[in-house]
Amino acid sequence: MGRRRPGTPTLEEVAAHARVGRGTVSRVINNAAGVKESTRRAVQRAIEELGYVPNLAARSLAGRRADAVALVMTEPDWRQFAEPFFSEIVRSLGDALTDTGIQLLLTLVRSDAERQRFLEYARGGRVDGVLLMSVHAGDPLPDMLAEARLPTVLLGRRSGEEYVSYVDADNIGGARSAVSHLLRQGRRVIATITGPLDLYAAQCRLRGYEEALAMAGLESEQTRVAESDFTAESGRRAMAELIERHPDIDGVLAASDTTAAGALEALRAAGRRVPEDVAVIGFDDFSLAQRTEPRLTTVRQPIEEIGRAMIRLLLEEMEEGAVAWRHVILRTELVLREST
């Protein structure tokens, strides 16, 4: 599915604004010789005043491709970069680019000043496209890149109304299937440890949890919901709070495998057996899920497919100058192990 891009200045409009021919504008953009300095300044002033961004496909025909794409991480908390999700995504994106001859450049953008610097860097032709991950609700960077007509693909989305191209996993369906599995096992006091709720993925996993309970005729209680930041420490803390609020908890859905690993530690410290007393399900299915004691039942995200889909969408935008944004949502899978 896709939505049309907003109107942006054309080469012809820049030419009219500068009172020169279209070919002159093209020569200025490509730093060609034979243009008077006064004319060059007039064209550059028109480009700046109109906010014109040269078409990357046209630049590639002139041999001006950077042969590089930027992977931008917007997570303000440095601890998040130690989580398996980030390294797995970087690996999958690198693998997808192996045969393209395109370099993957990693950059961090966490403040308004850094956003503006990166925008100017990207507009300057140093990268051919942008991949964004860990974008929180309200982050203006995707909008800034869209307005600059820079090919951009998000990992996940900021809200259900996202228009910039993105690739996401079915977070609602994955969480719903996990809680439905717990219900089929006879668990009735089921809690959830969410991720940061300013991330749409965390909101969707919470929604899937609530939908599964509603389908079983059970009400979701706010006191059975605890927020984490996807780390093991936050999982331990959240699980301890949930046990204190509801000593009769018999099932837990955690928003990541790392969070679930922390929850297992808190249950063990409280003398609760897994899965005999409390069944635990994680989300992601990284190698960590098979190293916990007991091994984690978890919702598998298709990381390899996510990386390939992101690169495919970005290359299409770079090569074709796509006029519509594309949205891809990939299936998840519940992987059963000993923790349930």
Side-chain angles (χ1 to χ4, degrees):
M1 58 182 290
R3 305 182 188 182
R4 290 194 63 83
R5 299 177 181 277
T8 54
T10 65
L11 195 71
E12 288 76 12
E13 289 170 335
V14 172
H17 194 74
R19 298 183 179 181
V20 298
R22 185 180 187 280
T24 299
V25 175
S26 180
R27 288 196 294 276
V28 171
I29 290 171
N30 290 294
N31 292 319
V35 180
K36 291 194 301 183
E37 188 57 34
S38 59
T39 301
R40 188 181 299 278
R41 286 197 300 268
V43 171
Q44 290 170 339
R45 186 164 54 249
I47 289 172
E48 182 177 345
E49 290 174 357
L50 294 178
Y52 174 74
V53 178
N55 180 275
L56 285 175
R59 284 173 48 208
S60 71
L61 294 176
R64 302 229 14 237
R65 281 278 283 274
D67 288 331
V69 297
L71 172 59
V72 179
M73 293 185 175
T74 61
E75 180 56 59
D77 189 342
W78 282 92
R79 292 177 301 168
Q80 300 298 326
F81 299 115
E83 298 304 312
F85 182 75
F86 288 93
S87 59
E88 290 293 322
I89 285 294
V90 171
R91 181 186 57 77
S92 72
L93 292 171
D95 289 347
L97 284 171
T98 297
D99 297 325
T100 66
I102 295 174
Q103 295 291 322
L104 183 66
L105 307 179
L106 175 62
T107 186
L108 308 179
V109 174
R110 296 153 298 166
S111 67
D112 289 339
E114 288 177 347
R115 287 186 191 93
Q116 192 59 46
R117 280 200 299 272
F118 176 74
L119 180 65
E120 294 306 316
Y121 177 87
R123 282 170 59 107
R126 295 178 177 88
V127 295
D128 300 315
V130 180
L131 300 161
L132 284 172
M133 64 185 296
S134 192
V135 181
H136 292 248
D139 191 327
L141 184 57
D143 304 315
M144 296 163 70
L145 294 168
E147 289 169 5
R149 297 192 69 188
L150 287 161
T152 302
V153 177
L154 308 184
L155 170 56
R157 41 193 160 148
R158 292 169 293 177
S159 74
E161 300 301 315
E162 185 63 76
Y163 60 89
V164 177
S165 294
Y166 66 78
V167 177
D168 205 355
D170 181 10
N171 292 293
I172 295 175
R176 188 171 55 228
S177 68
V179 176
S180 295
H181 175 68
L182 293 174
L183 290 165
R184 285 193 298 271
Q185 289 191 321
R187 313 286 176 166
R188 285 297 178 267
V189 186
I190 301 172
T192 187
I193 302 173
T194 74
L197 290 174
D198 63 340
L199 282 177
Y200 190 62
Q203 296 172 28
C204 288
R205 291 172 196 179
L206 175 59
R207 179 177 162 188
Y209 160 83
E210 294 170 338
E211 287 184 1
L213 293 178
M215 289 168 61
L218 301 174
E219 291 187 9
S220 59
E221 297 183 20
Q222 188 60 39
T223 54
R224 293 181 188 168
V225 177
E227 188 172 351
S228 79
D229 59 9
F230 290 133
T231 63
E233 176 55 38
S234 66
R236 282 190 293 270
R237 185 171 57 250
M239 190 70 251
E241 293 172 1
L242 289 168
I243 294 171
E244 184 175 349
R245 292 180 209 158
H246 295 278
D248 55 343
I249 281 176
D250 59 8
V252 178
L253 169 64
S256 76
D257 291 343
T258 309
T259 304
L264 288 175
E265 293 181 15
L267 287 166
R268 193 157 42 244
R272 306 300 174 87
R273 298 170 301 164
V274 177
E276 292 86 354
D277 301 325
V278 183
V280 178
I281 298 181
F283 211 108
D284 289 327
D285 193 30
F286 297 137
S287 60
L288 171 65
Q290 298 195 55
R291 298 198 307 269
T292 57
E293 180 57 44
R295 297 191 310 157
L296 270 174
T297 289
T298 186
V299 179
R300 175 179 293 159
Q301 292 202 74
I303 297 296
E304 295 295 335
E305 290 84 350
I306 287 173
R308 286 196 296 268
M310 290 181 69
I311 296 302
R312 175 175 57 81
L313 294 191
L314 188 66
L315 292 178
E316 287 174 358
E317 290 204 12
M318 287 163 49
E319 296 300 330
E320 301 169 11
V323 296
W325 285 291
R326 292 140 190 211
H327 299 162
V328 175
I329 299 177
L330 298 171
R331 294 179 183 274
T332 56
E333 176 189 359
L334 184 63
V335 180
L336 301 179
R337 297 193 183 99
E338 291 84 358
S339 68
T340 58

